[in-house]
Amino acid sequence: MTLFKEIVAVIILTFCINLMGVLWLQFDSTKEYLTNQLESDLENMSSSLTRAVAPHLESGDNVMIDATLNAYFDGGYYKKISITKFDTNEIITKEMEVVVDGVPQWFLDLDILSPPFIENEITSGWYQVGKIKIVGHPGFAYKQLWTSFIQTIIWLGGLGLFVIFVCSYAINFVLRPLVRIQEKAKQIQSHYFGDPLPVPTTKELRDVTVAVNQMTDKLKEQFEEKAKLHSKLEQAAYVEPVTGFGNRNYFNRRLDAWLKESGNGVLVLIQIASIEEMRKSHGWQKRDELMVVIGHYINTIFDNDETVIKTRTSERDFILIVQESDKRDVELKLKQLGTYFSTVEIQELFDNKNIYAAAGVKVSHKADKESIVALLDQTLSAAKESASGVSVVEIEPNCGHIHTRSEIKEALELAISESHLSFRHQPVFLYNSIKPEHFEVFTQVHIEGFKNVTLGTFISVMNEHKLGSDFDKNIIEKAFEYAKGSETQVLALNISKSAMKNYQFIMWLCNKVKDNFESKDKIVFEFNEDSVLNDMDNVNTLCECLNELNFKYGIDRVGRNFESLSYLKSVHPDYVKVDHIYTEMVLKNDDDAYFVDSLCTTIHNLDIKVIATHVENEMQLEKLRKYNFDGYQGFVIPAKPLDLQVNVDY
């Protein structure tokens, strides 16, 4: 029971006790007054009747005695009148039943009032001729007593309800700061800090509120310090300090991840010739200033887009991974960047006039990393020989037709509309748990004749033409229908990047989960970290809706970006799936494992579960257990086919 209810209950109990006391006093005083009134009336009646009936008793005229009794009995309000004749011991009695209109029988049966009575000797001269007994009728007294009782209850009851209402409002107002403290305590328990509480005027509550605010600030500061520490560690290991771009280690890990997951876009190598000679002639500071300016121009020309991964891998080399981009667009941007190096102020810094060369390899078909890097080096050599200093080529498929993006778009639209989809599901386990936490659903689009097109190209076309919303709606509809018949499986559905950018889709999804509230324990939603960083408004809208309806949700690919993890405080997912690059860091290099430990510890400070991904065998599983992961997912337990039209237990 809440404190508010306990206080109100005490007030009601106290009031009821007082009400009973007041009722009893009122009842008792009214009863005594009415009893005294009846006794007084009986004394007068007894004196009058004795004088009236005495002559008739002496003469033995029973007819007159009976007539006198009837006259007095009918003219008064008595329960019983009896006369005893001493000469014959005859008793003459008149009696009336106790029935009172407007008074319930149960009240009469309580026998609260004992009717008063009076007995007198009837004399004639010096002789006793009889005895008279008169018993008062309690009907009038009961009527008055009942009326007084009801009026008192109504008055005190109404007054009590008014007092309780006023007290409840006043108590609620006084305890409002305590309610805010309670809500803040729950938020702190969930590691959500929020704004400071307003300080109330009540001294005790003011002291508690100030203490809670100070504790919240301290916890918030500790989390931010740990988040900053992790960010600093990552910056030191993976960021080139002059330009702020990623370094070679960062490039290697992002290139591997890009080719494994997407492999669609353009890999660009920008080389600044004679940079060593320029450094020797103008110094380190001038060289670094030039690198900062070059980095600024690269950010400007490539719009500082989140889909562009920028790295500086050596003193003279910049490598970009321009995801989901066309060959022609990248070539134009590289030529635009080349115009900067033809300016007089740049040319004066170098003895060699051909200082800029840029090569690009468009990847939209399946190819291995070594082939792409080798082709990039060859293309750079060709770029140095060209007039513009720029050369961009495309990897051709090993066989078959090179599909245009329009052809891929049409094929995707047809596959989505006709549901040419198949599904697989892979369990996510928590350590020391034999039951899966949930099953992540993977979707495969079946399009004939497009085998040489990479998955990344399909995703790129889907995002470019905003097909993700229709694609996700198709899957979500099937998943909710499946959940209605599934008693055990919890399905985790990934929301695509393009769908998260679509506010209309977010509203559709909110309405869908409201209509399927009963599936809150059967469906989990996931979206990746890029969506959180770049579409925060839509993410907050969706998270607010899911929290309101108690649907769980998680964030995928956490830790891939250099951004601080502070966004987790506002989004506060139920779990995160750490980018598989961290898994590989632990497995390949023990020296880098402290990054993983720092990441997991920072996330755990918000009471959020951390899931390792791409775990391939039991040995890896045991090694990852040491680094604060709560669960795992990967080929250690491979995905199995899932028919969303038929319930299948794993």
Side-chain angles (χ1 to χ4, degrees), residues 150 364 507 629:
I150 293 300
S364 58
M507 290 295 97
F629 285 105

Side-chain angles (χ1 to χ4, degrees), residues 460-614:
S460 171
V461 173
M462 185 180 295
N463 291 334
E464 178 184 349
H465 296 281
K466 299 179 175 58
L467 301 178
S469 298
D470 294 334
F471 183 75
D472 288 355
K473 286 180 181 179
N474 193 321
I475 298 170
I476 291 170
E477 292 277 8
K478 293 180 183 297
F480 273 122
E481 288 299 320
Y482 178 88
K484 292 178 181 178
S486 175
E487 297 181 357
T488 57
Q489 292 190 4
V490 180
L491 300 182
L493 308 179
N494 285 284
I495 303 176
S496 64
K497 189 175 178 180
S498 62
M500 287 301 298
K501 292 180 178 293
N502 188 337
Y503 181 75
Q504 285 72 27
F505 170 82
I506 300 298
M507 290 295 97
W508 176 88
L509 182 54
C510 288
N511 291 328
K512 178 60 66 174
V513 296
K514 288 178 182 177
D515 295 339
N516 293 272
F517 173 74
E518 68 280 359
S519 299
K520 61 184 177 66
D521 296 324
K522 303 290 183 63
I523 299 293
V524 178
F525 293 97
E526 291 183 10
F527 39 86
N528 63 44
E529 187 180 62
D530 287 337
S531 295
V532 179
L533 297 176
N534 300 297
D535 304 293
M536 182 59 82
D537 290 340
N538 285 351
V539 169
N540 285 334
T541 300
L542 178 60
C543 292
E544 182 178 347
C545 174
L546 296 177
N547 283 325
E548 181 181 350
L549 298 169
N550 293 322
F551 276 81
K552 293 183 178 180
Y553 57 93
I555 302 178
D556 197 9
R557 301 180 182 178
V558 168
R560 173 167 292 191
N561 300 277
F562 288 144
E563 299 291 336
S564 169
L565 296 174
S566 59
Y567 68 82
L568 291 175
K569 290 187 297 183
S570 59
V571 178
H572 207 279
D574 295 281
Y575 65 91
V576 299
K577 291 182 178 178
V578 175
D579 190 80
H580 66 85
I581 296 173
Y582 284 89
T583 304
E584 294 173 1
M585 287 169 58
V586 173
L587 300 175
K588 292 181 179 180
N589 189 347
D590 291 336
D591 294 335
D592 290 336
Y594 66 92
F595 289 112
V596 179
D597 192 61
S598 172
L599 178 70
C600 293
T601 301
T602 302
I603 298 173
H604 277 148
N605 285 333
L606 291 176
D607 196 27
I608 299 172
K609 295 184 180 69
V610 184
I611 308 298
T613 57
H614 288 221

